[in-house]
Amino acid sequence: MAPGLPPVQAVIFDLDGTLVQTRIASWEIFEQVNRRYDLGVDEPEQYFDLFRGNVYESIAKLCRTEAEADEVKDAFLTLLRSDYTPPLVPGVSDVVRRLASHATLAVMSSNAMGVMRRVLTHNHLAFCFAHVFGGDVTPDKKTAIRTFLADSGSGFGRRCAADYDEAGDRPTPDPAGTVLVTDTAGDVRDALEVGIRVVGVSWGMHSVEALTAAGAEFVALWPQEIVAHLLGDAAAATGACAVPSSSEPVREPADVIDESLVAAAARIRRERRQQAADGFGDRTREAADQQRDRGSWPETRLPRSGPAPAPRHESDGELLRALARMMR
């Protein structure tokens, strides 16, 4: 945590350009609307400039009438709902999960609510966020931020599970402890006008210089810097929502399991069982057959390779039973 700044109670993420890579994906959607309505936005950089203020207000200024502006907005949102599937920014999933253990999280976007749900559920982040404000729900981000701050229940977050916090005193987030993370200068100005803090990200629509000039207290070059800036020494603690370590298996939904990997894993298990069996030597194989013949464990045949003495003490029997379980 930066010196002199209050502890973070709530973090509000912008979606496009902050959590997801949007420069190409969003431009490809808007370019279709631009051609249909002849808006004169013929280069990606011209499109990115629209986000220096509220994007829909910027688009409306390109239209001939108010009715056309409404039609253009509807056409843009319709295409976003059906065709917009941007990839997650590498590294932000872990950042979100770390922050969810320490603060209430929200998402605000000029994008459609259906798009936000698709992006967050597809990337297994939906239950890290307590609140989501889409462009088809709130007219602008200043309104969304004010709504979030005014709700007495906004302090109750989620810890990457469907249920909301119920234990402890969770007061309404203080503006000084509420931070917007965004990639656009327009968002920076809107957040400062409402009275909350802002952290910029360098990988989205606008540059480090533009975000700094707009008033961002810090601009991250890498996603992990967001956690370091907001949590300070506490950033090293992964928390309850963190991604499992490499030693812990990650359970994937059954419909996305690669069957070739399943088959390869089964083959490896068979090879390991065979190697384990071969490693016990002739004496163990003969003793295992004698134990089986006495009915002390289920039918399992091991290859014979000559006579061997029976187990000499109880620990031999325990070893054989462990081998039997492994061979099943």
Side-chain angles (χ1 to χ4, degrees):
M1 183 171 61
L5 294 175
V8 174
Q9 294 175 292
V11 181
I12 304 169
F13 282 92
D14 172 55
L15 180 73
D16 304 299
T18 302
L19 294 178
V20 299
Q21 301 179 64
T22 193
R23 292 174 68 88
I24 294 176
S26 180
W27 162 247
E28 289 177 344
I29 297 294
F30 183 79
E31 197 271 337
Q32 299 177 52
V33 177
N34 176 67
R35 282 189 284 106
R36 185 187 308 174
Y37 293 94
D38 192 24
L39 299 176
V41 183
D42 301 320
E43 299 293 335
E45 292 301 326
Q46 293 176 277
Y47 172 60
F48 302 153
D49 282 341
L50 298 178
F51 290 84
R52 295 189 181 277
N54 178 274
V55 65
Y56 293 116
E57 292 178 0
S58 300
I59 291 173
K61 294 176 182 178
L62 302 174
C63 300
R64 299 159 188 83
T65 64
E66 185 176 339
E68 183 182 57
D70 291 339
E71 187 177 341
V72 168
K73 179 180 178 179
D74 288 343
F76 189 31
L77 286 171
T78 297
L79 282 175
L80 287 170
R81 291 187 185 101
S82 61
D83 297 343
Y84 186 62
T85 54
L88 209 64
V89 172
V92 301
S93 178
D94 183 53
V95 167
V96 167
R97 289 177 174 275
R98 284 172 182 259
L99 289 174
S101 296
H102 297 270
T104 299
L105 302 189
V107 181
M108 296 181 185
S109 175
S110 54
N111 219 314
M113 185 67 79
V115 175
M116 300 171 75
R117 175 167 181 154
R118 181 168 67 239
V119 169
L120 296 178
T121 55
H122 177 75
N123 291 288
H124 310 293
L125 295 178
F127 292 144
C128 296
F129 294 96
H131 307 279
V132 175
F133 299 86
D136 47 358
V137 174
T138 51
D140 55 65
K141 292 180 181 176
K142 284 188 288 187
T143 301
I145 295 170
R146 291 190 179 106
T147 301
F148 177 79
L149 293 175
D151 189 337
S152 61
S154 291
F156 292 91
R158 277 172 161 172
R159 300 295 176 260
C160 305
D163 56 304
Y164 284 78
D165 297 332
E166 296 183 22
D169 182 20
R170 305 288 294 190
T172 302
D174 179 1
T178 302
V179 181
L180 175 67
V181 181
T182 184
D183 68 311
T184 67
D187 284 357
V188 175
R189 286 189 285 268
D190 284 349
L192 293 177
E193 182 178 330
V194 176
I196 68 172
R197 297 160 51 191
V198 189
V199 167
V201 300
S202 62
W203 50 82
M205 294 284 191
H206 296 156
S207 66
V208 173
E209 293 74 19
L211 295 167
T212 302
E217 69 181 37
F218 176 75
V219 179
L221 301 184
W222 310 280
Q224 293 75 15
E225 278 195 303
I226 299 171
V227 181
H229 176 74
L230 296 181
L231 300 183
D233 293 340
T238 57
C241 308
V243 175
S245 67
S246 58
S247 62
E248 301 175 17
V250 178
R251 302 292 183 184
E252 294 290 348
D255 58 347
V256 297
I257 292 177
D258 188 334
E259 293 299 330
S260 65
L261 295 180
V262 174
R267 185 180 66 254
I268 291 172
R269 287 196 296 271
R270 289 195 299 272
E271 291 173 352
R272 287 176 177 173
R273 287 198 298 265
Q274 186 60 52
Q275 291 170 1
D278 292 342
F280 277 99
D282 298 342
R283 181 186 61 81
T284 304
R285 294 188 182 92
E286 181 65 20
D289 280 348
Q290 292 176 6
Q291 288 287 96
R292 185 208 63 230
D293 292 339
R294 289 196 295 267
S296 57
W297 43 295
E299 176 69 18
T300 304
R301 290 198 173 274
L302 298 177
R304 297 177 180 270
S305 59
R312 288 175 293 181
H313 47 73
E314 185 177 353
S315 62
D316 283 353
E318 293 176 354
L319 184 62
L320 292 173
R321 285 190 291 275
L323 174 61
R325 290 193 295 271
M326 182 176 63
M327 290 289 291
R328 291 173 189 170

